[in-house]
Amino acid sequence: MSEVDLPPTSADAGGSENENDELGLLQRLQSYSSMLSLLLSPVAIILVSVWVSNEAMGGGGVSWSEGDAKRVFNWHPVLMIVAFSIMNVAALIFRVSGTSSYQTSMRGLSYSGTKRRGEMKAVHGYIWISCFIIGIVAMMAVFKSHNDAESGYIANLYSFHSWVGVLVMSLYTLQLLVGMFAFGGFTSSNRLGVPTVMEIHKYTGAVLHLLITATIMLGIQEKEGFIQCGYEVTDGPDTIPILNFGKIPSACKISHGLGIVVLLMGLLTSFALARFPVL
């Protein structure tokens, strides 16, 4: 859970016009970054859907039936990308709605603005809860596919991706619980609603977004190892790989594209949530 909170500028009589211009430029760049990241969210969902439909992905498609472990597993990347994509909306919702603490500190907050910020806060929280549920189901899909007696048992939690995934999911759960307790109205005390806690909350939310980005990329890389993305080189050294682009399996081309989109979402959102000093 995080929102953009850039430091307010000192717009006094001695303030530099260049400083204000630079701040405006950074704001515009962050706004463009937010919108582009949000536009990439449905692209990621489309790509992962096409990816799991490929024949190389256990025959293509999804299933929840015994004896169909490979297609049961396909739910994992689909649901994780869906969760990441809608979590991206939650991370940027304050920025794109004009209710971030920086924006409101600059122009003040009217009664309608306060109400709108409260609505965005509720949407932000509900999305994070939804992503948590989706993430749990996605992890269940892995265990179900690995523990399928008809398909054959597979070891659980043996890869680096799985270890990082469990750690990130634990941090996500902690972030969600702290957010609900401190800012979700689950306590009558306002002591937790101090700026220090909010700053930590926003920082950890932004870090989590990057950690999830990295974890997804690790998962894509691991799955590509099973698909075997390499190709046979017979006519001397592969000194100009681009000439052999057509030999790369189609499933790998799709997953490469998905990974690049996920990386761009992580970078764009990270930039949109950054705190830049007024130089």
Side-chain angles (χ1 to χ4, degrees), residues 20-55:
N20 290 333
D21 288 343
E22 184 172 358
L23 180 61
L25 173 63
L26 288 175
Q27 283 184 295
R28 288 194 296 273
L29 289 176
Q30 287 189 295
S31 179
Y32 298 148
S33 179
S34 299
M35 297 309 298
L36 182 55
S37 183
L38 291 175
L39 287 173
L40 289 176
S41 293
V43 174
I45 295 175
I46 292 171
L47 282 175
V48 75
S49 300
V50 174
W51 186 36
V52 300
S53 299
N54 192 281
E55 185 68 22

mmCIF file of all heavy atoms in Angstrom, residues 20-55:
data_model
loop_
_atom_site.group_PDB
_atom_site.id
_atom_site.type_symbol
_atom_site.label_atom_id
_atom_site.label_comp_id
_atom_site.label_asym_id
_atom_site.label_seq_id
_atom_site.Cartn_x
_atom_site.Cartn_y
_atom_site.Cartn_z
ATOM 1 N N ASN A 20 10.092 25.767 -9.497
ATOM 2 C CA ASN A 20 8.699 25.399 -9.702
ATOM 3 C C ASN A 20 8.507 24.706 -11.041
ATOM 4 O O ASN A 20 7.729 23.764 -11.167
ATOM 5 C CB ASN A 20 7.812 26.650 -9.621
ATOM 6 C CG ASN A 20 7.732 27.209 -8.212
ATOM 7 O OD1 ASN A 20 7.886 26.461 -7.249
ATOM 8 N ND2 ASN A 20 7.506 28.503 -8.104
ATOM 9 N N ASP A 21 9.232 25.196 -12.073
ATOM 10 C CA ASP A 21 9.134 24.580 -13.381
ATOM 11 C C ASP A 21 9.641 23.139 -13.328
ATOM 12 O O ASP A 21 9.053 22.230 -13.919
ATOM 13 C CB ASP A 21 9.943 25.377 -14.400
ATOM 14 C CG ASP A 21 9.277 26.710 -14.736
ATOM 15 O OD1 ASP A 21 8.069 26.856 -14.448
ATOM 16 O OD2 ASP A 21 9.975 27.584 -15.276
ATOM 17 N N GLU A 22 10.743 22.930 -12.594
ATOM 18 C CA GLU A 22 11.303 21.588 -12.516
ATOM 19 C C GLU A 22 10.365 20.664 -11.762
ATOM 20 O O GLU A 22 10.187 19.511 -12.128
ATOM 21 C CB GLU A 22 12.672 21.622 -11.838
ATOM 22 C CG GLU A 22 13.346 20.265 -11.826
ATOM 23 C CD GLU A 22 14.776 20.322 -11.342
ATOM 24 O OE1 GLU A 22 15.265 21.428 -11.041
ATOM 25 O OE2 GLU A 22 15.395 19.252 -11.240
ATOM 26 N N LEU A 23 9.762 21.193 -10.683
ATOM 27 C CA LEU A 23 8.819 20.374 -9.937
ATOM 28 C C LEU A 23 7.636 20.005 -10.822
ATOM 29 O O LEU A 23 7.162 18.881 -10.816
ATOM 30 C CB LEU A 23 8.345 21.131 -8.697
ATOM 31 C CG LEU A 23 7.341 20.386 -7.812
ATOM 32 C CD1 LEU A 23 7.946 19.108 -7.278
ATOM 33 C CD2 LEU A 23 6.867 21.280 -6.669
ATOM 34 N N GLY A 24 7.168 20.976 -11.615
ATOM 35 C CA GLY A 24 6.069 20.692 -12.519
ATOM 36 C C GLY A 24 6.440 19.640 -13.541
ATOM 37 O O GLY A 24 5.630 18.783 -13.876
ATOM 38 N N LEU A 25 7.674 19.696 -14.043
ATOM 39 C CA LEU A 25 8.126 18.711 -15.019
ATOM 40 C C LEU A 25 8.153 17.316 -14.409
ATOM 41 O O LEU A 25 7.693 16.352 -15.021
ATOM 42 C CB LEU A 25 9.524 19.079 -15.535
ATOM 43 C CG LEU A 25 10.197 18.042 -16.447
ATOM 44 C CD1 LEU A 25 9.382 17.850 -17.715
ATOM 45 C CD2 LEU A 25 11.627 18.476 -16.779
ATOM 46 N N LEU A 26 8.677 17.206 -13.177
ATOM 47 C CA LEU A 26 8.722 15.907 -12.514
ATOM 48 C C LEU A 26 7.315 15.363 -12.290
ATOM 49 O O LEU A 26 7.065 14.165 -12.470
ATOM 50 C CB LEU A 26 9.471 16.012 -11.188
ATOM 51 C CG LEU A 26 10.983 16.199 -11.280
ATOM 52 C CD1 LEU A 26 11.582 16.423 -9.897
ATOM 53 C CD2 LEU A 26 11.619 14.979 -11.937
ATOM 54 N N GLN A 27 6.413 16.252 -11.906
ATOM 55 C CA GLN A 27 5.025 15.820 -11.702
ATOM 56 C C GLN A 27 4.419 15.294 -13.004
ATOM 57 O O GLN A 27 3.722 14.282 -13.003
ATOM 58 C CB GLN A 27 4.181 16.975 -11.175
ATOM 59 C CG GLN A 27 4.380 17.265 -9.703
ATOM 60 C CD GLN A 27 3.449 18.346 -9.242
ATOM 61 O OE1 GLN A 27 3.541 19.492 -9.673
ATOM 62 N NE2 GLN A 27 2.531 17.985 -8.373
ATOM 63 N N ARG A 28 4.680 16.005 -14.090
ATOM 64 C CA ARG A 28 4.134 15.560 -15.371
ATOM 65 C C ARG A 28 4.724 14.219 -15.787
ATOM 66 O O ARG A 28 4.007 13.324 -16.249
ATOM 67 C CB ARG A 28 4.395 16.612 -16.453
ATOM 68 C CG ARG A 28 3.547 17.866 -16.318
ATOM 69 C CD ARG A 28 3.599 18.695 -17.593
ATOM 70 N NE ARG A 28 4.952 19.182 -17.848
ATOM 71 C CZ ARG A 28 5.437 20.312 -17.348
ATOM 72 N NH1 ARG A 28 4.694 21.061 -16.550
ATOM 73 N NH2 ARG A 28 6.677 20.689 -17.648
ATOM 74 N N LEU A 29 6.029 14.056 -15.598
ATOM 75 C CA LEU A 29 6.671 12.788 -15.941
ATOM 76 C C LEU A 29 6.124 11.650 -15.087
ATOM 77 O O LEU A 29 5.901 10.538 -15.580
ATOM 78 C CB LEU A 29 8.188 12.900 -15.758
ATOM 79 C CG LEU A 29 8.930 13.771 -16.774
ATOM 80 C CD1 LEU A 29 10.403 13.875 -16.406
ATOM 81 C CD2 LEU A 29 8.777 13.198 -18.189
ATOM 82 N N GLN A 30 5.890 11.917 -13.824
ATOM 83 C CA GLN A 30 5.338 10.879 -12.949
ATOM 84 C C GLN A 30 3.898 10.553 -13.325
ATOM 85 O O GLN A 30 3.472 9.402 -13.241
ATOM 86 C CB GLN A 30 5.411 11.319 -11.484
ATOM 87 C CG GLN A 30 6.829 11.289 -10.937
ATOM 88 C CD GLN A 30 6.868 11.521 -9.448
ATOM 89 O OE1 GLN A 30 6.519 12.608 -8.972
ATOM 90 N NE2 GLN A 30 7.305 10.524 -8.702
ATOM 91 N N SER A 31 3.158 11.569 -13.763
ATOM 92 C CA SER A 31 1.788 11.328 -14.208
ATOM 93 C C SER A 31 1.768 10.450 -15.453
ATOM 94 O O SER A 31 0.993 9.487 -15.548
ATOM 95 C CB SER A 31 1.096 12.661 -14.488
ATOM 96 O OG SER A 31 -0.225 12.452 -14.948
ATOM 97 N N TYR A 32 2.643 10.754 -16.421
ATOM 98 C CA TYR A 32 2.739 9.934 -17.634
ATOM 99 C C TYR A 32 3.178 8.514 -17.289
ATOM 100 O O TYR A 32 2.675 7.536 -17.857
ATOM 101 C CB TYR A 32 3.730 10.555 -18.619
ATOM 102 C CG TYR A 32 3.353 11.933 -19.112
ATOM 103 C CD1 TYR A 32 4.336 12.875 -19.433
ATOM 104 C CD2 TYR A 32 2.018 12.300 -19.249
ATOM 105 C CE1 TYR A 32 3.988 14.140 -19.887
ATOM 106 C CE2 TYR A 32 1.667 13.560 -19.696
ATOM 107 C CZ TYR A 32 2.651 14.478 -20.008
ATOM 108 O OH TYR A 32 2.302 15.736 -20.449
ATOM 109 N N SER A 33 4.121 8.411 -16.355
ATOM 110 C CA SER A 33 4.602 7.102 -15.932
ATOM 111 C C SER A 33 3.477 6.287 -15.312
ATOM 112 O O SER A 33 3.341 5.079 -15.567
ATOM 113 C CB SER A 33 5.745 7.277 -14.919
ATOM 114 O OG SER A 33 6.229 6.038 -14.472
ATOM 115 N N SER A 34 2.651 6.936 -14.491
ATOM 116 C CA SER A 34 1.516 6.250 -13.866
ATOM 117 C C SER A 34 0.551 5.703 -14.907
ATOM 118 O O SER A 34 0.135 4.542 -14.852
ATOM 119 C CB SER A 34 0.771 7.207 -12.924
ATOM 120 O OG SER A 34 1.601 7.668 -11.899
ATOM 121 N N MET A 35 0.188 6.561 -15.867
ATOM 122 C CA MET A 35 -0.773 6.149 -16.876
ATOM 123 C C MET A 35 -0.234 5.026 -17.750
ATOM 124 O O MET A 35 -0.954 4.071 -18.076
ATOM 125 C CB MET A 35 -1.161 7.356 -17.745
ATOM 126 C CG MET A 35 -1.863 8.471 -16.981
ATOM 127 S SD MET A 35 -3.276 7.892 -15.995
ATOM 128 C CE MET A 35 -4.334 7.237 -17.289
ATOM 129 N N LEU A 36 1.046 5.107 -18.124
ATOM 130 C CA LEU A 36 1.636 4.059 -18.948
ATOM 131 C C LEU A 36 1.687 2.739 -18.201
ATOM 132 O O LEU A 36 1.396 1.678 -18.769
ATOM 133 C CB LEU A 36 3.042 4.472 -19.398
ATOM 134 C CG LEU A 36 3.777 3.485 -20.316
ATOM 135 C CD1 LEU A 36 2.942 3.160 -21.545
ATOM 136 C CD2 LEU A 36 5.133 4.053 -20.724
ATOM 137 N N SER A 37 2.034 2.799 -16.921
ATOM 138 C CA SER A 37 2.074 1.578 -16.115
ATOM 139 C C SER A 37 0.686 0.942 -16.019
ATOM 140 O O SER A 37 0.538 -0.282 -16.118
ATOM 141 C CB SER A 37 2.610 1.890 -14.717
ATOM 142 O OG SER A 37 2.725 0.714 -13.946
ATOM 143 N N LEU A 38 -0.328 1.775 -15.841
ATOM 144 C CA LEU A 38 -1.698 1.258 -15.764
ATOM 145 C C LEU A 38 -2.144 0.663 -17.095
ATOM 146 O O LEU A 38 -2.852 -0.346 -17.125
ATOM 147 C CB LEU A 38 -2.656 2.369 -15.339
ATOM 148 C CG LEU A 38 -2.505 2.867 -13.898
ATOM 149 C CD1 LEU A 38 -3.433 4.047 -13.648
ATOM 150 C CD2 LEU A 38 -2.784 1.748 -12.905
ATOM 151 N N LEU A 39 -1.722 1.263 -18.194
ATOM 152 C CA LEU A 39 -2.070 0.735 -19.518
ATOM 153 C C LEU A 39 -1.412 -0.624 -19.757
ATOM 154 O O LEU A 39 -1.953 -1.476 -20.479
ATOM 155 C CB LEU A 39 -1.646 1.717 -20.605
ATOM 156 C CG LEU A 39 -2.483 2.994 -20.725
ATOM 157 C CD1 LEU A 39 -1.852 3.946 -21.732
ATOM 158 C CD2 LEU A 39 -3.921 2.675 -21.130
ATOM 159 N N LEU A 40 -0.244 -0.849 -19.163
ATOM 160 C CA LEU A 40 0.454 -2.121 -19.330
ATOM 161 C C LEU A 40 -0.171 -3.245 -18.510
ATOM 162 O O LEU A 40 0.076 -4.425 -18.792
ATOM 163 C CB LEU A 40 1.930 -1.967 -18.947
ATOM 164 C CG LEU A 40 2.798 -1.159 -19.907
ATOM 165 C CD1 LEU A 40 4.208 -1.004 -19.347
ATOM 166 C CD2 LEU A 40 2.840 -1.820 -21.288
ATOM 167 N N SER A 41 -0.968 -2.891 -17.512
ATOM 168 C CA SER A 41 -1.590 -3.922 -16.664
ATOM 169 C C SER A 41 -2.450 -4.898 -17.468
ATOM 170 O O SER A 41 -2.276 -6.118 -17.359
ATOM 171 C CB SER A 41 -2.410 -3.262 -15.550
ATOM 172 O OG SER A 41 -1.567 -2.575 -14.647
ATOM 173 N N PRO A 42 -3.410 -4.431 -18.281
ATOM 174 C CA PRO A 42 -4.182 -5.385 -19.087
ATOM 175 C C PRO A 42 -3.334 -6.097 -20.131
ATOM 176 O O PRO A 42 -3.631 -7.235 -20.504
ATOM 177 C CB PRO A 42 -5.257 -4.513 -19.744
ATOM 178 C CG PRO A 42 -4.734 -3.127 -19.706
ATOM 179 C CD PRO A 42 -3.915 -3.048 -18.459
ATOM 180 N N VAL A 43 -2.259 -5.452 -20.603
ATOM 181 C CA VAL A 43 -1.364 -6.101 -21.561
ATOM 182 C C VAL A 43 -0.728 -7.334 -20.916
ATOM 183 O O VAL A 43 -0.622 -8.392 -21.545
ATOM 184 C CB VAL A 43 -0.271 -5.122 -22.041
ATOM 185 C CG1 VAL A 43 0.750 -5.843 -22.918
ATOM 186 C CG2 VAL A 43 -0.895 -3.958 -22.801
ATOM 187 N N ALA A 44 -0.310 -7.189 -19.663
ATOM 188 C CA ALA A 44 0.285 -8.319 -18.943
ATOM 189 C C ALA A 44 -0.710 -9.469 -18.793
ATOM 190 O O ALA A 44 -0.350 -10.645 -18.961
ATOM 191 C CB ALA A 44 0.774 -7.860 -17.567
ATOM 192 N N ILE A 45 -1.963 -9.147 -18.490
ATOM 193 C CA ILE A 45 -2.985 -10.184 -18.328
ATOM 194 C C ILE A 45 -3.237 -10.903 -19.647
ATOM 195 O O ILE A 45 -3.381 -12.139 -19.689
ATOM 196 C CB ILE A 45 -4.295 -9.565 -17.786
ATOM 197 C CG1 ILE A 45 -4.070 -9.018 -16.368
ATOM 198 C CG2 ILE A 45 -5.418 -10.593 -17.781
ATOM 199 C CD1 ILE A 45 -5.258 -8.279 -15.797
ATOM 200 N N ILE A 46 -3.263 -10.156 -20.737
ATOM 201 C CA ILE A 46 -3.460 -10.764 -22.056
ATOM 202 C C ILE A 46 -2.288 -11.678 -22.399
ATOM 203 O O ILE A 46 -2.472 -12.813 -22.869
ATOM 204 C CB ILE A 46 -3.625 -9.669 -23.136
ATOM 205 C CG1 ILE A 46 -4.941 -8.913 -22.930
ATOM 206 C CG2 ILE A 46 -3.579 -10.279 -24.535
ATOM 207 C CD1 ILE A 46 -5.085 -7.692 -23.808
ATOM 208 N N LEU A 47 -1.072 -11.215 -22.145
ATOM 209 C CA LEU A 47 0.114 -12.002 -22.477
ATOM 210 C C LEU A 47 0.176 -13.302 -21.679
ATOM 211 O O LEU A 47 0.506 -14.359 -22.225
ATOM 212 C CB LEU A 47 1.381 -11.177 -22.233
ATOM 213 C CG LEU A 47 1.727 -10.143 -23.299
ATOM 214 C CD1 LEU A 47 2.938 -9.311 -22.866
ATOM 215 C CD2 LEU A 47 2.014 -10.822 -24.642
ATOM 216 N N VAL A 48 -0.127 -13.237 -20.383
ATOM 217 C CA VAL A 48 -0.065 -14.467 -19.580
ATOM 218 C C VAL A 48 -1.158 -15.439 -20.003
ATOM 219 O O VAL A 48 -0.972 -16.662 -19.976
ATOM 220 C CB VAL A 48 -0.146 -14.157 -18.072
ATOM 221 C CG1 VAL A 48 -1.564 -13.788 -17.639
ATOM 222 C CG2 VAL A 48 0.354 -15.351 -17.257
ATOM 223 N N SER A 49 -2.301 -14.914 -20.442
ATOM 224 C CA SER A 49 -3.382 -15.779 -20.923
ATOM 225 C C SER A 49 -2.979 -16.493 -22.210
ATOM 226 O O SER A 49 -3.244 -17.690 -22.377
ATOM 227 C CB SER A 49 -4.657 -14.953 -21.150
ATOM 228 O OG SER A 49 -5.085 -14.324 -19.957
ATOM 229 N N VAL A 50 -2.319 -15.753 -23.097
ATOM 230 C CA VAL A 50 -1.836 -16.351 -24.339
ATOM 231 C C VAL A 50 -0.731 -17.366 -24.037
ATOM 232 O O VAL A 50 -0.666 -18.439 -24.644
ATOM 233 C CB VAL A 50 -1.313 -15.259 -25.303
ATOM 234 C CG1 VAL A 50 -0.676 -15.891 -26.533
ATOM 235 C CG2 VAL A 50 -2.452 -14.328 -25.707
ATOM 236 N N TRP A 51 0.118 -17.036 -23.075
ATOM 237 C CA TRP A 51 1.238 -17.911 -22.710
ATOM 238 C C TRP A 51 0.762 -19.273 -22.222
ATOM 239 O O TRP A 51 1.210 -20.311 -22.700
ATOM 240 C CB TRP A 51 2.091 -17.221 -21.647
ATOM 241 C CG TRP A 51 3.360 -17.944 -21.293
ATOM 242 C CD1 TRP A 51 4.165 -18.649 -22.140
ATOM 243 C CD2 TRP A 51 3.969 -18.012 -20.001
ATOM 244 N NE1 TRP A 51 5.248 -19.148 -21.458
ATOM 245 C CE2 TRP A 51 5.154 -18.771 -20.149
ATOM 246 C CE3 TRP A 51 3.643 -17.497 -18.748
ATOM 247 C CZ2 TRP A 51 6.010 -19.033 -19.067
ATOM 248 C CZ3 TRP A 51 4.494 -17.743 -17.681
ATOM 249 C CH2 TRP A 51 5.657 -18.503 -17.846
ATOM 250 N N VAL A 52 -0.172 -19.276 -21.258
ATOM 251 C CA VAL A 52 -0.624 -20.558 -20.707
ATOM 252 C C VAL A 52 -1.491 -21.329 -21.702
ATOM 253 O O VAL A 52 -1.750 -22.518 -21.501
ATOM 254 C CB VAL A 52 -1.392 -20.360 -19.376
ATOM 255 C CG1 VAL A 52 -0.516 -19.693 -18.338
ATOM 256 C CG2 VAL A 52 -2.689 -19.595 -19.581
ATOM 257 N N SER A 53 -1.941 -20.667 -22.764
ATOM 258 C CA SER A 53 -2.719 -21.345 -23.804
ATOM 259 C C SER A 53 -1.823 -22.053 -24.817
ATOM 260 O O SER A 53 -2.309 -22.834 -25.639
ATOM 261 C CB SER A 53 -3.624 -20.345 -24.537
ATOM 262 O OG SER A 53 -4.545 -19.734 -23.651
ATOM 263 N N ASN A 54 -0.517 -21.782 -24.730
ATOM 264 C CA ASN A 54 0.421 -22.400 -25.650
ATOM 265 C C ASN A 54 0.564 -23.890 -25.356
ATOM 266 O O ASN A 54 0.525 -24.323 -24.205
ATOM 267 C CB ASN A 54 1.781 -21.710 -25.545
ATOM 268 C CG ASN A 54 2.730 -22.091 -26.659
ATOM 269 O OD1 ASN A 54 3.340 -23.151 -26.636
ATOM 270 N ND2 ASN A 54 2.855 -21.209 -27.641
ATOM 271 N N GLU A 55 0.752 -24.681 -26.399
ATOM 272 C CA GLU A 55 0.875 -26.132 -26.257
ATOM 273 C C GLU A 55 2.015 -26.527 -25.332
ATOM 274 O O GLU A 55 1.945 -27.548 -24.633
ATOM 275 C CB GLU A 55 1.092 -26.771 -27.641
ATOM 276 C CG GLU A 55 1.105 -28.278 -27.653
ATOM 277 C CD GLU A 55 -0.253 -28.895 -27.341
ATOM 278 O OE1 GLU A 55 -1.281 -28.198 -27.526
ATOM 279 O OE2 GLU A 55 -0.280 -30.067 -26.916
#
